[in-house]
């Protein structure tokens, strides 16, 4: 009976994936194989089901890989793509460096205090993501709160808005809960007796951390890194609001192809390529997890 | 003891909030001894051991190892190793890496570490499983990895926290023998904590019975068993029959020192009674006998013929010889 329950919930998950991921993704794929036209919507061919099966054949015959050709040949796309991965990669490293000590402190806090600390990490979600990032512009702008504070302390002012530093700040701020929570989940479960055993065997607290706590928390590090890296690579709001006009991120490129150039196939091709590369690390992660579980 | 002790607890106390876990304990343990702290849970025996390992600091008194005071020395600097009750094996490391862990902290050479790990795994007969992870081992195998890991650094003292508690009965008896043999072979001082009197008596050279943070009696198992200081200790170390003495106090007689017969024995302390229950244990039979005055006594008899000598509702005499009784005041 329990087995049946597990299978049913697995099918639910697959159905969910099919309806909310695979179907939209198929539409994006089809769009990426189309070509632009003047009109609404600004692409062709379109599926006209009143013509029956013949229209499907006509549709397929009319699809091509031109958008992908442009994607690969145009330096802009490739550069935006690589620089997005770069921003997301650096931000992920920063998130681990900042999120790990936070999660560790939460996991080692008194039991009674832990629910409040978790609530504090989640609290920012009660405000819209867009609003929170927008609020940062008020802090970082030349006459913003940051410089007001610096000036009142007699310190030199800084110009952060529209710089890479502001993008990293925004990314780290926005994605910190996604790093802290999976890390907290694994660290909170760790048996403190293992640290006593390590100390008993002669390990300093520092050595005990690097030989016991950290290696045992790697699944949490991987989960947190994936949860942050993937959406950050396609991030649009943070670079758009905090980064300068020269900031090159694939999310911004997709947005401007879609809304400014009205080149929907190009935007769809960029999005499809992004999804394809980001699915790779997820699959890798799942394989690793399956291997650990089967043991 | 002619030589100075290896371990010395000197008026040691430790409180947790309002309760005194360890209350003014003074205790010497000699090098090479197999010493057991015995007591019910919450009696302070584990705290006393953790004070030696450095996981707790005493509120009063001193803990000395080989004449050196340990105060202020963090656990990783103390030359003692512990075998934890739940084993606390590192789940992400193989058996060999678990055993090597303590040696790596000493920054020994690779060759020496490998040699020592091999030696330890041979000692506990786990060489074929050296590449396994702890979750691929049985409970008994994990117990042996924990033992090998704790012994690998050749500690002056090995601390064992309920080492057999997680094993089933048969494995416990087998492992008890192995523990004793390993201790004899290495000559390491073993300090063990347990709540199981069979385990304590089967292993200890000397043992201390603890109650409410204090040591109530100290000595070799046979001495404690034969001459307990009070009824509590007598009862904790095994079954005991208590016969009130008219002037106050009790005479305590162990079940195996009682005599059960059909005819009146030539002893002053003899009573008629009726067998109420018979438990046949193979080599012995355990009888519950109700005496004429209503008191219930327990008697253990070796089986010399097949089957129990008496049956339920048999009329019998229960007696004991004068030298079988110990007088207890409290």
């Amino acid at each position: 009976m329990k087995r049946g329950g597990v299978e049913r919930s697995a099918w639910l998950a697959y159905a969910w994936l099919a309806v909310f991921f695979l179907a939209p993704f198929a539409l994006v794929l089809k769009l990426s194989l189309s070509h632009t036209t003047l009109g609404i919507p600004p692409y062709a061919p379109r599926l006209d089901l009143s013509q029956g099966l013949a229209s499907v054949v006509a549709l397929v015959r009319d699809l091509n890989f031109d958008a992908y050709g442009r994607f690969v040949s145009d330096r802009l796309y490739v550069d935006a793509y690589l620089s997005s991965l770069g921003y997301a990669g650096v931000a992920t490293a920063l998130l681990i460096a900042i999120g790990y000590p936070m999660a560790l402190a939460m996991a080692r806090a008194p039991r009674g205090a832990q629910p409040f600390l978790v609530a504090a990490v989640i609290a920012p979600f009660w405000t819209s993501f867009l609003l929170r990032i927008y609020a940062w512009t008020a802090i970082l702008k030349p006459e913003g709160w940051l410089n007001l504070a610096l000036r009142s302390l007699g310190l030199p002012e800084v110009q952060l808005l529209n710089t890479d530093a502001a993008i990293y700040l925004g990314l780290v701020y926005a994605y910190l809960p996604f790093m802290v929570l999976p890390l907290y989940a694994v660290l909170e479960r760790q048996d403190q007796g293992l640290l006593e055993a390590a100390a008993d065997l002669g390990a300093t607290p520092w050595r005990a951390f690097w030989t016991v706590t950290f290696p045992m928390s790697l699944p949490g590090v991987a989960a947190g890194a994936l949860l942050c890296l993937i959406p950050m690579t396609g991030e649009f709001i943070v670079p758009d609001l905090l980064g300068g006009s020269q900031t090159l991120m694939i999310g911004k490129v997709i947005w401007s192809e879609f809304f400014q150039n009205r080149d929907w196939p190009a935007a769809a091709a960029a999005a499809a390529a992004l999804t394809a590369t980001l699915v790779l690390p997820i699959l890798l992660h799942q394989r690793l997890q399956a291997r650990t579980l089967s043991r | 003891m002619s030589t100075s002790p290896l371990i010395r607890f000197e008026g040691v106390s430790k409180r947790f909030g309002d309760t005194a876990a360890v209350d003014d304990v003074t205790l010497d343990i000699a090098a090479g001894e197999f010493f057991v702290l015995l007591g019910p849970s919450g009696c302070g025996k584990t705290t006393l051991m953790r004070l030696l390992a450095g996981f707790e600091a005493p509120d009063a008194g001193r803990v000395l190892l080989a004449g050196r005071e340990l105060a202020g020395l963090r656990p990783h600097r103390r030359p003692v190793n512990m075998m934890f009750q739940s084993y606390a094996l590192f789940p992400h490391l193989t058996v060999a890496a678990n055993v090597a862990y303590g040696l790596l902290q000493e920054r020994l050479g690779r060759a020496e570490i490998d040699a020592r790990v091999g030696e330890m795994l041979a000692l506990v007969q786990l060489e074929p499983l050296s590449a396994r992870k702890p979750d691929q081992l049985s409970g008994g195998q994990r117990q042996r990895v924990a033992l090998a890991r704790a012994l690998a650094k050749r500690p002056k003292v090995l601390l064992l926290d309920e080492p057999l508690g997680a094993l089933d009965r048969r494995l416990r008896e087998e492992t008890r023998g192995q523990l004793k043999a390993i201790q004899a072979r290495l000559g390491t001082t073993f300090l063990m904590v347990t709540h199981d009197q069979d385990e304590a008596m089967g292993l200890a050279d000397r043992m201390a019975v603890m109650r409410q943070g204090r040591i109530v009696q100290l000595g070799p198992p046979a001495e404690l068993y034969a001459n307990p200081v009070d009824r509590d200790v007598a009862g904790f170390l095994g079954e005991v029959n208590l016969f009130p003495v008219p002037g106050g106090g009790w005479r305590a007689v162990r079940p195996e020192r009682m005599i059960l017969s059909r005819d009146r024995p030539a002893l002053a302390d003899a009573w008629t009674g009726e067998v109420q229950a018979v438990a046949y244990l193979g080599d012995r039979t355990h009888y519950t006998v109700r005496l004429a005055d209503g008191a219930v006594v327990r008697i253990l008899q070796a089986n010399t013929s097949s089957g129990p000598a008496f049956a339920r509702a048999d009329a019998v005499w229960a007696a004991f010889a004068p030298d079988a009784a110990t007088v207890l005041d409290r």
Side-chain angles (χ1 to χ4, degrees):
Chain A
M1 217 166 95
K2 184 159 187 191
R3 202 189 149 78
V6 167
E7 269 170 16
R8 201 171 315 139
S9 64
W11 278 112
L12 246 161
Y14 284 128
W16 178 276
L17 261 181
V19 172
F20 294 106
F21 175 73
L22 287 180
F25 188 65
L27 289 179
V28 172
L29 264 183
K30 184 236 158 202
L31 191 52
S32 73
L33 300 173
S34 313
H35 53 85
T36 52
T37 56
L38 285 172
I40 297 173
Y43 65 89
R46 293 168 63 195
L47 191 56
D48 185 3
L49 280 176
S50 59
Q51 304 297 309
L53 201 64
S55 71
V56 177
V57 175
L59 174 91
V60 171
R61 198 171 294 151
D62 226 9
L63 293 176
N64 61 56
F65 288 92
D66 286 359
Y68 287 94
R70 270 179 290 148
F71 181 78
V72 176
S73 61
D74 192 336
R75 285 299 308 175
L76 173 76
Y77 292 120
V78 177
D79 286 350
Y81 197 76
L82 292 178
S83 101
S84 289
L85 277 175
Y87 280 114
V90 170
T92 301
L94 288 172
L95 278 163
I96 292 172
I98 295 166
Y100 202 104
M102 267 181 76
L104 193 62
M106 283 168 64
R108 302 273 164 88
R111 280 262 154 233
Q114 292 190 15
F116 296 99
L117 295 173
V118 172
V121 169
I122 301 171
F125 289 129
W126 289 90
T127 310
S128 139
F129 180 72
L130 183 64
L131 277 180
R132 283 184 285 134
I133 299 303
Y134 202 75
W136 273 102
T137 62
I139 298 172
L140 298 179
K141 68 186 179 188
E143 291 299 313
W145 294 0
L146 177 66
N147 279 334
L148 276 172
L150 287 174
R151 205 183 308 152
S152 68
L153 290 170
L155 295 168
E157 296 183 14
V158 288
Q159 183 51 258
L160 280 181
L161 197 59
N162 303 335
T163 65
D164 279 0
I167 293 182
Y168 289 129
L169 207 150
L171 288 174
V172 168
Y173 163 77
Y175 287 90
L176 197 55
F178 296 103
M179 180 58 81
V180 169
L181 292 177
L183 280 175
Y184 167 75
V186 296
L187 290 172
E188 185 262 337
R189 276 204 315 259
Q190 263 183 24
D191 175 9
Q192 293 304 297
L194 295 178
L195 290 182
E196 276 194 354
D200 183 68
L201 292 165
T204 60
W206 179 252
R207 289 270 308 159
F209 172 80
W210 286 110
T211 52
V212 177
T213 308
F214 186 71
M216 283 183 64
S217 68
L218 281 176
V221 175
L226 274 181
L227 274 176
C228 295
L229 183 78
I230 291 168
M232 284 196 304
T233 307
E235 180 57 48
F236 166 72
I237 293 174
V238 172
D240 191 57
L241 288 182
L242 302 179
S245 52
Q246 80 292 349
T247 308
L248 207 52
M249 282 189 78
I250 197 76
K252 267 183 89 169
V253 170
I254 293 172
W255 190 88
S256 61
E257 288 297 352
F258 219 91
F259 293 103
Q260 288 173 347
N261 301 346
R262 291 184 66 76
D263 187 346
W264 289 18
L274 185 62
T275 308
T277 31
L278 293 181
V279 159
L280 215 71
I282 297 177
L283 289 178
L284 216 72
H285 178 68
Q286 290 207 323
R287 276 192 76 122
L288 260 164
Q289 284 234 310
R291 221 177 54 193
T292 347
L293 281 180
S294 72
R295 252 212 248 104
Chain B
M1 277 170 282
S2 53
T3 53
S4 70
L6 178 64
I7 303 163
R8 165 166 274 174
F9 292 96
E10 239 178 55
V12 172
S13 294
K14 174 71 184 175
R15 307 185 68 82
F16 293 115
D18 286 341
T19 46
V22 172
D23 189 5
D24 193 25
V25 166
T26 296
L27 172 67
D28 284 352
I29 298 170
E33 253 191 308
F34 199 131
F35 194 93
V36 176
L37 292 168
L38 174 68
S41 67
C43 73
K45 57 191 192 298
T46 302
T47 305
L48 193 61
M49 187 166 77
R50 289 171 62 85
L51 284 162
L52 180 59
F55 296 130
E56 312 288 352
D59 296 327
R62 304 197 301 162
V63 183
L64 294 99
L65 183 69
R68 179 170 165 225
E69 190 175 351
L70 294 175
L73 212 56
R74 306 273 298 274
H76 66 268
R77 309 277 309 276
R78 299 194 179 197
V80 301
N81 287 125
M82 191 189 284
M83 196 185 134
F84 291 82
Q85 182 174 10
S86 54
Y87 309 144
L89 297 178
F90 303 123
H92 60 299
L93 300 179
T94 62
V95 167
N98 263 284
V99 176
Y101 189 90
L103 303 169
L104 281 166
Q105 309 312 316
E106 280 182 6
R107 304 188 187 281
L108 296 179
R110 190 73 246 177
E112 192 178 350
I113 290 177
D114 287 346
R116 195 91 74 85
V117 168
E119 185 189 320
M120 285 301 137
L121 290 179
L123 185 73
V124 297
Q125 295 155 23
L126 276 178
E127 286 153 306
L129 305 181
S130 67
R132 296 252 187 112
K133 293 274 181 72
D135 59 2
Q136 298 168 304
L137 301 177
S138 70
Q141 289 165 341
R142 264 180 245 167
Q143 194 261 5
R144 275 141 66 197
V145 177
L147 180 64
R149 185 179 71 174
L151 283 171
K153 294 186 77 170
R154 297 188 181 137
K156 284 191 176 143
V157 182
L158 180 72
L159 309 174
L160 303 107
D161 188 0
E162 304 269 5
L164 310 178
L167 304 179
D168 60 48
R169 216 184 86 113
R170 260 184 59 193
L171 201 53
R172 202 151 59 207
E173 275 163 20
E174 189 184 315
T175 312
R176 192 163 69 191
Q178 287 169 353
L179 260 187
K180 189 85 179 163
I182 287 172
Q183 196 260 344
R185 191 167 139 200
L186 300 178
T188 308
T189 310
F190 277 31
L191 172 57
M192 180 175 117
V193 152
T194 183
H195 66 273
D196 181 322
Q197 80 281 0
D198 284 341
E199 219 170 283
M201 291 203 283
L203 285 166
D205 294 326
R206 283 195 311 145
M207 60 199 257
V209 178
M210 287 188 73
R211 198 163 62 210
Q212 291 171 340
R214 290 172 167 273
I215 291 177
V216 285
Q217 195 171 6
L218 174 72
E223 190 185 308
L224 266 61
Y225 185 75
N227 298 304
V229 290
D230 60 21
R231 287 179 295 156
D232 263 0
V233 173
F236 196 66
L237 293 180
E239 262 191 328
V240 68
N241 296 302
L242 295 167
F243 299 92
V245 175
W250 292 267
R251 283 186 298 167
V253 185
R254 296 286 179 194
E256 72 277 12
R257 302 294 299 270
M258 297 288 301
I259 297 159
L260 192 62
S261 59
R262 266 184 226 291
D263 307 317
R264 178 174 192 150
L267 289 166
D269 296 302
W271 303 269
T272 55
E274 185 193 301
V275 175
Q276 275 204 317
V278 178
Y280 180 69
L281 303 173
D283 54 342
R284 299 152 294 154
T285 305
H286 185 276
Y287 299 97
T288 308
V289 176
R290 180 182 281 275
L291 304 183
D293 65 358
V296 172
V297 294
R298 293 164 211 293
I299 301 173
L300 203 57
Q301 269 201 340
N303 290 331
T304 48
S305 57
S306 68
F310 301 93
R312 214 179 103 82
D314 279 2
V316 291
W317 281 86
F320 62 85
D323 69 337
T326 307
V327 177
L328 301 176
D329 301 327
R330 41 199 166 103

